[in-house]
Amino acid sequence: MKYIYILFIFMLPLSLNAQTYRGKVFIAGENGTREPAAGAAVYWIPSVQEDPVEDVVYTNEKGLFRIRTNKGSSGMIAASFMGYIPDTLQAGMPDRDLEFFLAESSGTLDELQVTGRLRGNYISSLSSVKTEVITAAGLCKMACCNLAESFENSASVSVGYSDAVIGARQIRLLGLSGNYTQMLEENRPAMRGIQVPFGLSFVPGQWLESIQIAKGTGSVVNGYEAITGQINMEYRKPTAQMPLFVNLFLNSALRTEANIVSSLQLNNQWSTVILAHGSADLMQHDDNGDGFLDEPLTRRYSLANRWLYAPSSGLQLRFGFRAVYEDRKGGQKDNIWVLPEESRENVLWGSRILNKGINAWAKLGIPLVKHDHDHEHDHALSHEHGHQELATEEMHDTEHDHEAEDMQEDGIMQEDENHVDPNIALVLDYNLHSQDAYFGLKDFNARQQDVFANAVFMSSLGESHKITMGVSALWEHLDQVLLDRWPAGGEELFDLGRRENIYGAYAEYTLHWDDKLVLIAGARADYNTLYGWLFTPGVNLRYNFTKDLVFRATAGRGFRSPNSITDNIGVLSTGRRILFEGTPDIEEAWTYGLNLTLGLPFGLEGSSTLSLEYFRTDFMNQLIADQEFLWNAPVPSILFYNLEGGSFTNTWQADLTTELFEGFSVLATFRYNDSKVDMKGQGLTDSPLTSRFKGVLNLQYTTPKNTWVFDVTAQLNGPARIPAFASGQEDRYSPVFPMFYAQITRKLNKVELYAGGENLLNYRQPDPIISVDNPFSENFNASIIWGPLMGIRIYAGMRLTLFR
């Protein structure tokens, strides 16, 4: 606490002899609306303002800002947002609220380079459902080399390992596997099928602008697979005035990484962004001395290219591709890792996994109403009304419907902020992915090819009503072959491939009433060629009791086609035989949730919020991968079967965010899970390897001139039930354990230098592999993972950003 007092003493003089300007920044939003810009930079133009108290600040999630200067000073204030045309205003007197409007740009105008403070994580006050946003600043708080490592500051999402050999990272949302969370790339469905085990590592963290984590079944526009929620990734934009961004990374385990991003604006209509990634693990590590690598040796290369065509007619075309290659080698040290198609001697237990994939996509937005504008603003507003592809990019139809109340409170008025002109959006997505692998004695080879198409119509119906409707189709061709060998000398070949086509239609209605109530009700009907007709309803409600007290509720149904092996990839890192009881049926669940968000009367400029929530997920059917029922059979086996009985998860969570004084922010969250499942021979029991609770505390301090940023994160991870065959006794739970992370960032003009540490207490799960001395025995098992596998890691890196 004494350090907080010291920081306060240093900051106190800066607040004297200063005057404050306030206002709001808008961007051209969906279908002609204006939206508050969260994270927009507001700054004094250097040539006009001499030695300001604050040279730059960033807007909060409502687009609001406050910026200070010395008393008696005046000048020009500018606002900028990545991918939009900056705006400049005369400061005038500080008693007048300022309003900036930024139209989307294809990049022909110059943009000033700015740096400043931006909150890393926040709970969106605008979404109709509980949504946590991780901003670009949040992605820089830690190493965040890939998507899986971007959630360490979040209590909503837990990250773990599928096993102690192959290094596949898994997430959990609402206490359930990430298999039940729909992954979206700018609201296109992503990471399906055989991409699930490793897909999180395919997305470099430095390619992203933000991540949105929304809980509940969500919108019906993108399908029926969002059972526990949706995680949407926003990539760096073609319109960003950033011809070069370079990120280099190296840690104490000799893991190296490089990312390069270049956004280019070719003319008023065409812009593109190129993204490249390469990473490699250069050294074998066995810190616990069990003879197995602590993490696999991985080489990964990715390349993406994204384009935007935005003529003045209002039409918008976005398209692009992404390719990935990954080679990961795990198992015992000093192995000879042959290719999966080659014969192997199996002297040492080894695993090698080759992933190759390509994705191509296109979005077309077509406005159905042409607006006439005066010559001065015609081009800028054409971009505003041409942002039609966002009709398909609504996570939960947020619509930013809290905007009117915020503007009225701030003295800023606007007409028809909820109006949406009629428009059509078309989306096409093609995905091809192959996975060839072996895990000791077992071989697994898979190839997935799918095409997704979505056509959406959206329009307002009067002042308070909006309708979204459309049709979608998914064609999926999945080949999966498992050659299961077990130490007793037996083997069995499983053909797990399928041809699955899904044809659906949906409609979603949105009601805005008196800036108090937002009701979103939707439903979709799909015909699945394997499972027949599926009906998916969903409803989201938000009610603003006051500006500081918001209530949300959600309820909906979700379905998912299970993938026995890839959903449970860790079972391949065992000596067990694999058995199936019957044919896996489609998974079905209902999710319900309540949330209350309160504004608290402390913190800088009312920055404090408290969010309380409860969610429950009830499964009607679920595929169970049971390692406990037949563990002591003559041939120990893992049994897959459809749920017999009940399966549910209750989740309670509290989030507190505040900025105690200028530059010092606090994020504290705590989540408690009660997860139960009916398993053969046990009845209703705690779900295995599911942590009972998780707490996160993140402290960040940014110096006044934004030259230094200090981040500290602490986690407390609760107990998880360990299966009896691994613990030697019934109802044994893992210990409670802490995790600590820290990072320091130094900003030098266009360069950021950062250094930090992960798992600073060096806590590791003891003896994570069962029968490690006899890996080709039937008792070998590397899949019972409840804690960290790697000890302390120190890292350093740099980010170079060049603006036009």
Side-chain angles (χ1 to χ4, degrees):
M1 182 63 71
K2 65 180 181 180
Y3 299 109
I4 296 178
Y5 292 144
I6 293 172
L7 291 174
F8 178 77
I9 292 172
F10 277 108
M11 294 298 297
L12 183 61
L14 297 177
S15 63
L16 302 177
N17 195 37
Q19 57 189 14
T20 301
Y21 290 83
R22 294 177 174 84
K24 190 167 187 176
V25 179
F26 297 95
I27 58 174
E30 305 172 11
N31 316 297
T33 64
R34 298 197 300 176
E35 300 175 358
V42 180
Y43 48 94
W44 295 100
I45 295 181
S47 61
V48 178
Q49 177 69 291
E50 298 294 337
D51 193 26
V53 173
E54 291 177 304
D55 54 354
V56 61
V57 297
Y58 278 78
T59 58
N60 64 14
E61 61 267 27
K62 299 179 181 180
L64 300 173
F65 71 89
R66 55 184 294 277
I67 187 168
R68 293 180 298 170
T69 186
N70 293 319
K71 287 185 177 179
S73 300
S74 63
M76 302 294 291
I77 301 179
S80 67
F81 193 71
M82 185 173 291
Y84 291 80
I85 301 172
D87 193 10
T88 304
L89 295 175
Q90 179 70 39
M93 297 301 295
D95 58 353
R96 179 177 67 91
D97 286 339
L98 302 173
E99 177 183 348
F100 292 93
F101 177 76
L102 312 181
E104 187 172 4
S105 169
S106 59
T108 57
L109 298 181
D110 292 338
E111 181 173 312
L112 295 174
Q113 177 188 358
V114 295
T115 57
R117 291 183 288 274
L118 174 60
R119 182 179 295 181
N121 296 48
Y122 64 86
I123 305 300
S124 173
S125 63
L126 304 172
S127 176
S128 299
V129 298
K130 169 70 179 298
T131 301
E132 178 183 349
V133 180
I134 303 176
T135 67
L139 293 170
C140 293
K141 280 188 173 185
M142 295 184 179
C144 290
C145 294
N146 55 54
L147 183 61
E149 299 172 354
S150 302
F151 300 111
E152 300 295 356
N153 284 333
S154 171
S156 298
V157 180
S158 296
V159 182
Y161 288 89
S162 64
D163 60 73
V165 176
I166 64 175
R169 305 296 294 269
Q170 295 183 332
I171 63 170
R172 286 183 175 271
L173 183 65
L174 299 185
L176 291 167
S177 167
N179 303 332
Y180 303 109
T181 301
Q182 186 179 36
M183 304 300 296
L184 303 170
E185 291 186 352
E186 297 185 339
N187 288 281
R188 292 177 294 108
M191 295 185 202
R192 303 182 69 259
I194 64 174
Q195 299 176 69
V196 168
F198 308 102
L200 295 175
S201 65
F202 296 158
V203 181
Q206 296 301 314
W207 283 16
L208 301 176
E209 282 190 350
S210 67
I211 303 170
Q212 297 92 41
I213 306 165
K215 299 178 181 179
T217 51
S219 172
V220 299
V221 172
N222 286 312
Y224 53 58
E225 294 184 327
I227 291 178
T228 58
Q230 295 174 314
I231 296 180
N232 183 53
M233 299 161 281
E234 289 291 331
Y235 284 78
R236 295 180 181 267
K237 307 301 183 190
T239 51
Q241 303 276 315
M242 188 177 64
L244 182 63
F245 170 82
V246 178
N247 168 238
L248 302 177
F249 172 90
L250 174 68
N251 74 3
S252 55
L254 290 188
R255 176 184 177 183
T256 61
E257 178 171 328
N259 294 284
I260 300 175
V261 180
S262 178
S263 296
L264 304 171
Q265 296 76 45
L266 307 182
N267 53 43
N268 287 343
Q269 298 180 347
W270 285 95
S271 55
T272 185
V273 60
I274 302 169
L275 307 101
H277 165 86
S279 61
D281 296 285
L282 304 179
M283 182 182 295
Q284 299 186 28
H285 293 275
D286 179 22
D287 293 341
N288 62 0
D290 64 1
F292 277 70
L293 299 181
D294 294 336
E295 55 186 336
L297 300 176
T298 303
R299 289 186 299 116
R300 186 183 306 115
Y301 309 102
S302 301
L303 178 67
N305 187 204
R306 307 164 69 84
W307 286 83
L308 168 65
Y309 171 63
S312 58
S313 63
L315 177 144
Q316 273 200 12
L317 173 64
R318 296 178 185 256
F319 59 93
F321 79 91
R322 187 184 68 184
V324 62
Y325 172 86
E326 183 188 75
D327 182 4
R328 58 175 68 210
K329 306 169 185 176
Q332 290 181 289
K333 290 194 307 179
D334 303 319
N335 220 314
I336 299 176
W337 288 279
V338 299
L339 292 171
E341 64 269 17
E342 298 175 349
S343 61
R344 56 189 187 275
E345 298 179 357
N346 289 321
V347 176
L348 297 176
W349 198 101
S351 171
R352 187 167 185 179
I353 307 166
L354 293 178
N355 279 287
K356 305 173 186 176
I358 188 167
N359 170 251
W361 56 274
K363 296 181 179 181
L364 177 64
I366 306 172
L368 301 182
V369 176
K370 175 64 177 177
H371 290 267
D372 294 325
H373 307 290
D374 60 63
H375 179 74
E376 180 179 0
H377 298 289
D378 183 68
H379 181 70
L381 291 176
S382 70
H383 284 288
E384 174 189 350
H385 290 279
H387 206 57
Q388 304 295 352
E389 88 289 343
L390 287 178
T392 63
E393 292 187 1
E394 296 175 290
M395 282 194 68
H396 293 272
D397 193 12
T398 62
E399 267 305 293
H400 300 283
D401 31 47
H402 206 168
E403 182 178 335
E405 183 176 285
D406 293 337
M407 288 183 296
Q408 187 174 12
E409 171 192 340
D410 297 329
I412 302 172
M413 300 304 297
Q414 170 183 318
E415 296 180 359
D416 299 327
E417 67 275 358
N418 294 318
H419 179 76
V420 178
D421 289 329
N423 68 91
I424 294 174
L426 306 174
V427 179
L428 287 175
D429 191 282
Y430 172 77
N431 186 68
L432 175 63
H433 195 93
S434 67
Q435 187 178 110
D436 299 294
Y438 59 84
F439 305 77
L441 299 176
K442 305 179 190 293
D443 291 342
F444 182 71
N445 298 281
R447 177 185 173 92
Q448 177 178 333
Q449 187 171 204
D450 55 61
V451 177
F452 173 76
N454 198 2
V456 190
F457 170 79
M458 180 186 293
S459 179
S460 289
L461 302 174
E463 295 183 357
S464 303
H465 312 275
K466 190 189 76 173
I467 187 71
T468 302
M469 61 181 65
V471 293
S472 64
L474 174 68
W475 299 271
E476 184 175 82
H477 184 164
L478 180 60
D479 293 322
Q480 297 182 95
V481 176
L482 170 64
L483 179 56
D484 183 28
R485 302 185 185 95
W486 53 93
E491 69 176 42
E492 188 171 358
L493 185 68
F494 294 98
D495 184 355
L496 304 174
R498 66 171 183 256
R499 309 292 184 271
E500 183 178 14
N501 298 333
I502 305 170
Y503 308 95
Y506 54 86
E508 197 166 69
Y509 165 76
T510 302
L511 168 67
H512 295 262
W513 177 68
D514 196 27
D515 295 327
K516 287 285 188 180
L517 174 70
V518 179
L519 173 66
I520 303 173
R524 63 178 298 130
D526 294 88
Y527 180 74
N528 186 302
T529 54
L530 296 180
Y531 304 109
W533 284 99
L534 305 172
F535 178 69
T536 312
V539 62
N540 294 293
L541 171 73
R542 190 188 77 200
Y543 187 80
N544 306 326
F545 291 100
T546 69
K547 66 182 181 64
D548 292 321
L549 183 61
V550 180
F551 171 77
R552 296 177 177 90
T554 181
R557 185 188 199 184
F559 297 93
R560 185 177 179 275
S561 300
N563 297 285
S564 307
I565 300 302
T566 53
D567 289 351
N568 305 277
I569 196 73
V571 303
L572 299 181
S573 298
T574 73
R576 304 280 193 91
R577 181 183 182 182
I578 293 176
L579 295 175
F580 293 88
E581 182 181 89
T583 301
D585 199 359
I586 193 167
E587 296 183 298
E588 176 187 353
W590 288 82
T591 298
Y592 319 90
L594 301 172
N595 169 256
L596 193 65
T597 302
L598 304 89
L600 302 178
F602 65 88
L604 188 66
E605 290 292 313
S607 61
S608 302
T609 61
L610 175 65
S611 175
L612 305 173
E613 68 180 53
Y614 166 74
F615 280 87
R616 179 181 175 91
T617 299
D618 277 306
F619 278 92
M620 307 297 106
N621 185 58
Q622 186 179 20
L623 181 65
I624 307 298
D626 192 340
Q627 295 204 46
E628 302 179 64
F629 182 58
L630 297 175
W631 72 272
N632 58 354
V635 179
S637 303
I638 298 171
L639 182 62
F640 287 85
Y641 55 87
N642 292 313
L643 177 67
E644 300 173 354
S647 176
F648 63 84
T649 299
N650 295 307
T651 303
W652 295 263
Q653 183 166 324
D655 304 271
L656 173 66
T657 61
T658 185
E659 189 172 1
L660 295 180
F661 54 85
E662 196 71 37
F664 184 75
S665 61
V666 178
L667 167 67
T669 65
F670 184 83
R671 184 199 67 232
Y672 182 84
N673 291 323
D674 174 30
S675 183
K676 305 283 188 181
V677 61
D678 261 305
M679 301 183 70
K680 288 181 179 291
Q682 299 187 70
L684 191 65
T685 183
D686 285 343
S687 299
L689 305 177
T690 300
S691 175
R692 186 69 60 83
F693 63 80
K694 179 182 179 182
V696 175
L697 175 64
N698 174 254
L699 307 177
Q700 182 185 70
Y701 176 67
T702 304
T703 56
K705 292 295 185 180
N706 197 46
T707 54
W708 293 92
V709 181
F710 303 89
D711 277 291
V712 177
T713 299
Q715 292 182 5
L716 187 65
N717 296 275
R721 185 177 72 85
I722 301 175
F725 70 84
S727 63
Q729 62 188 54
E730 297 290 340
D731 298 327
R732 182 189 169 191
Y733 290 80
S734 63
V736 176
F737 64 91
M739 297 279 284
F740 283 91
Y741 307 81
Q743 180 175 289
I744 299 175
T745 303
R746 177 71 165 101
K747 299 186 178 183
L748 302 166
N749 196 10
K750 299 177 176 62
V751 177
E752 293 183 11
L753 303 177
Y754 60 93
E758 302 174 293
N759 194 8
L760 294 176
L761 293 183
N762 203 34
Y763 183 86
R764 290 177 293 180
Q765 176 180 335
D767 304 320
I769 301 178
I770 302 172
S771 295
V772 69
D773 296 329
N774 192 5
F776 292 105
S777 72
E778 58 192 17
N779 293 320
F780 174 78
N781 197 321
S783 66
I784 309 302
I785 303 301
W786 49 262
L789 300 176
M790 271 72 71
I792 186 171
R793 290 289 187 266
I794 305 300
Y795 63 85
M798 62 83 69
R799 303 182 189 96
L800 168 68
T801 306
L802 299 182
F803 289 92
R804 290 187 60 181

